[in-house]
Amino acid sequence: MMHRILNILVVLFIFAFARYTAAQTQGLPLSLDEAIALALKQNITLQSARDRLTSANISLEAAKSDFQIKIRPEVSGLLRQDQTLDQAYGIQVSKRLKFGSTLQWQTNTYIDESLDNAYQTDVTLSLTQPLLKGRGTLPTMQEQVSAERSVQSQLRSLMLAQQQLMINVASNYYGILRDEMLIEVNQRALERAQLLLQAAEAKLNIGMASKMDVFRAELQVLTSKNGMVDALESLDNMRRQFNLLLGVDLETTFDLTSTLEYHAAEIQKEELLQYALDHRLELQEAADAVQDAERRLKIAKQNLYPPLDLSIQYTFSGEGDAFDQSLELGEKYWGIGVNSSFHLDFARDRAAHQQAQLSLNSAIRAWEAAQQDVILEVLQTMNSVKQAQARVELQQQSVMQAEKQLELSELRYKKGLSDNLDVIDAEEAVLNANTSYYSAIVQHLIAQLRLKQAAATLETPF
């Protein structure tokens, strides 16, 4: 019984190993959607874009920390000539508010051994509010807003990089399918060339063809073999480039399961243009740049005023021979005041304000230029789709005409009405027509993807 079980396990192992070996030889099945998903996950360039986004998020968290509660211990000491030691211990708790104010609670204990009441403890509550320069949320939140804009900008850059990667992957994917089809076309051309050579040699033996027919047929066979070598080399290069985009080993072999199909596209010009103007990431970034410039101009204008800070504080104070006596805090007093310190040379502030105005004007022009660029890109891409579509239909007719011409020339050659030169010319025409036809299909498919990218309708997984 055990012997039978071992035999069954051995047979199953051999069967599984054979299937695995066959799968490795045939290549891993991969659809276009799976290829795009794999590239978005593993592409090296895209990982660098993700790192930049992560770095921007880290900077944003650091900017947010400015508005968290800050705790600051303070310790100091001074040894005098009379061998007495002055000491000070304290702790400061502060919080910065988003409209410019600063709340602070501070406790300090001073120890002076030369005095009767050696210990003094002060507890102070204070509020500081800028009245001119630095007031309001605009300058206070500037660093955090800039960090948020950096995150948003890096996110858009990542999404644009994803879109471009998707198009590159699709281009290489379709390129591989095209080269595989061209290899089949070249294989059939080689087989026909070999049959033509055999026919020329047979006709030469019975005196129905000249030696020139054989030479031409031999040259056609060599040309077909060279075409096959070039097609295989192009396929190998395309596969390595494809693997590089996917972030896998360059020698990995995939069995592409999607097909190279042509479908005529119907283009809604006005709808695509309006959608692009409303949703293109580049336009959103340009519009946000205008808002950033406006915000910086307002801050620069406010910086033309001198600083003037209002301060309100309330202090509890106590003294004693011991530390616990100083904590009784018997004295209480409050105070209110203003503080200002500035230089009389305002040249730098005025220059900064003028520069901010110029930056705003430049940002507005850049936004307007970006709109025109988007419109132009969408229109040009629409034309590319239409031209590619017309090219596919023309090349399809060319293939049909070339194949008919090949059939006719072969028939005339068989009947002895012409030499094999017409057959060779017709064979070249068929090969060129098929090459142009499959290339036109790839161009049409990529043009459609580029139109989706230009019109902001290309869905980007994120």
Side-chain angles (χ1 to χ4, degrees):
M1 182 68 179
M2 182 62 67
H3 181 70
R4 290 184 61 188
I5 294 176
L6 290 175
N7 287 337
I8 292 173
L9 291 176
V10 170
V11 171
L12 291 176
F13 174 78
I14 293 174
F15 176 73
F17 181 77
R19 291 191 62 183
Y20 173 78
T21 304
Q24 293 297 312
T25 303
Q26 295 174 358
L28 303 173
L30 187 71
S31 67
L32 177 58
D33 291 339
E34 292 171 342
I36 290 176
L38 186 61
L40 291 175
K41 180 180 179 181
Q42 299 185 171
N43 183 266
I44 297 177
T45 304
L46 211 59
Q47 291 176 2
S48 299
R50 291 193 182 96
D51 289 344
R52 289 191 291 270
L53 176 60
T54 302
S55 176
N57 276 299
I58 293 174
S59 299
L60 175 58
E61 292 302 318
K64 289 181 178 179
S65 67
D66 290 343
F67 298 94
Q68 296 176 356
I69 295 178
K70 307 291 185 182
I71 301 177
R72 178 183 174 184
E74 297 177 351
V75 178
S76 64
L78 175 63
L79 181 62
R80 296 182 177 178
Q81 185 176 2
D82 59 0
Q83 301 299 316
T84 59
L85 179 63
D86 290 346
Q87 305 172 55
Y89 303 92
I91 186 170
Q92 182 185 98
V93 179
S94 62
K95 180 175 176 56
R96 188 183 183 192
L97 304 181
K98 294 184 177 181
F99 47 85
S101 301
T102 301
L103 286 174
Q104 182 173 291
W105 175 84
Q106 185 170 0
T107 298
N108 291 297
T109 297
Y110 305 96
I111 304 175
D112 189 348
E113 296 177 351
S114 63
L115 300 177
D116 293 337
N117 294 323
Y119 291 85
Q120 178 180 344
T121 299
D122 295 332
V123 178
T124 303
L125 302 176
S126 65
L127 170 67
T128 302
Q129 171 63 49
L131 298 179
L132 295 177
K133 185 176 182 178
R135 74 181 187 278
T137 60
L138 202 61
T140 307
M141 297 290 294
Q142 170 65 8
E143 184 176 354
Q144 181 174 329
V145 172
S146 297
E148 291 173 349
R149 280 283 298 113
S150 178
V151 170
Q152 191 177 48
S153 179
Q154 292 299 332
L155 174 59
R156 288 169 178 161
S157 297
L158 175 59
M159 296 178 70
L160 291 173
Q162 284 182 318
Q163 291 178 1
Q164 188 58 49
L165 178 62
M166 292 169 65
I167 293 177
N168 293 339
V169 170
S171 179
N172 280 264
Y173 191 98
Y174 292 138
I176 293 174
L177 292 178
R178 176 200 59 204
D179 288 349
E180 290 176 347
M181 290 181 174
L182 291 180
I183 287 175
E184 296 179 3
V185 171
N186 280 273
Q187 180 64 38
R188 292 195 297 269
L190 177 58
E191 293 172 357
R192 287 195 296 266
Q194 291 171 341
L195 292 175
L196 183 63
L197 176 58
Q198 295 174 5
E201 291 174 343
K203 285 190 173 187
L204 179 62
N205 292 334
I206 62 176
M208 295 182 62
S210 64
K211 193 66 175 176
M212 184 60 69
D213 289 341
V214 177
F215 289 155
R216 281 195 294 259
E218 290 175 345
L219 181 60
Q220 182 64 17
V221 170
L222 292 176
T223 301
S224 299
K225 288 182 178 179
N226 287 331
M228 177 65 72
V229 171
D230 293 340
L232 289 172
E233 182 181 3
S234 175
L235 178 61
D236 288 340
N237 292 334
M238 188 67 70
R239 281 176 172 169
R240 291 190 182 94
Q241 181 65 31
F242 181 67
N243 291 340
L244 182 63
L245 290 174
L246 299 189
V248 300
D249 187 82
L250 295 181
E251 300 303 325
T252 305
T253 302
F254 292 104
D255 182 15
L256 306 187
T257 57
S258 299
T259 57
L260 196 63
E261 297 180 351
Y262 165 72
H263 298 286
E266 183 178 355
I267 300 176
Q268 303 293 336
K269 177 180 177 181
E270 298 300 329
E271 293 180 4
L272 290 179
L273 279 174
Q274 188 59 49
Y275 196 86
L277 292 174
D278 293 339
H279 296 87
R280 276 288 291 266
L281 296 178
E282 295 92 336
L283 292 182
Q284 294 177 7
E285 185 67 21
D288 288 344
V290 172
Q291 294 181 0
D292 293 341
E294 291 175 344
R295 184 173 62 255
R296 287 191 292 268
L297 177 61
K298 292 179 180 178
I299 294 174
K301 184 177 180 180
Q302 189 185 99
N303 288 339
L304 295 176
Y305 297 105
L308 182 63
D309 298 340
L310 173 67
S311 178
I312 303 175
Q313 65 179 28
Y314 197 90
T315 301
F316 301 86
S317 181
E319 296 181 353
D321 293 335
F323 175 68
D324 56 347
Q325 295 178 353
S326 68
L327 294 179
E328 294 179 0
L329 306 177
E331 297 184 14
K332 303 175 184 179
Y333 54 89
W334 61 272
I336 183 172
V338 293
N339 177 51
S340 180
S341 175
F342 57 93
H343 54 78
L344 297 178
D345 183 9
F346 297 99
R348 289 185 177 273
D349 293 334
R350 286 196 296 267
H353 179 261
Q354 293 171 355
Q355 293 287 356
Q357 181 64 63
L358 293 175
S359 297
L360 174 59
N361 297 338
S362 177
I364 293 175
R365 289 193 298 268
W367 174 66
E368 293 174 348
Q371 286 183 313
Q372 297 300 318
D373 290 341
V374 166
I375 294 174
L376 180 61
E377 182 182 356
V378 173
L379 292 177
Q380 289 179 339
T381 313
M382 287 180 184
N383 290 334
S384 298
V385 173
K386 293 177 182 178
Q387 292 172 1
Q389 189 166 308
R391 194 176 297 113
V392 171
E393 295 172 356
L394 290 174
Q395 291 300 330
Q396 189 175 20
Q397 295 177 11
S398 297
V399 170
M400 296 174 59
Q401 293 295 330
E403 290 176 348
K404 291 179 180 179
Q405 184 66 30
L406 177 60
E407 293 177 2
L408 180 59
S409 60
E410 288 176 339
L411 181 61
R412 288 175 57 84
Y413 179 65
K414 289 179 181 179
K415 292 183 177 182
L417 300 176
S418 65
D419 55 21
N420 61 1
L421 180 59
D422 293 338
V423 178
I424 293 174
D425 291 340
E427 184 65 48
E428 289 292 333
V430 169
L431 180 61
N432 293 333
N434 277 284
T435 301
S436 299
Y437 173 62
Y438 292 129
S439 298
I441 292 178
V442 172
Q443 292 174 2
H444 180 257
L445 292 171
I446 298 304
Q448 286 183 311
L449 285 176
R450 294 193 184 281
L451 179 57
K452 289 183 178 180
Q453 182 188 31
T457 59
L458 182 63
E459 295 183 1
T460 306
F462 182 77

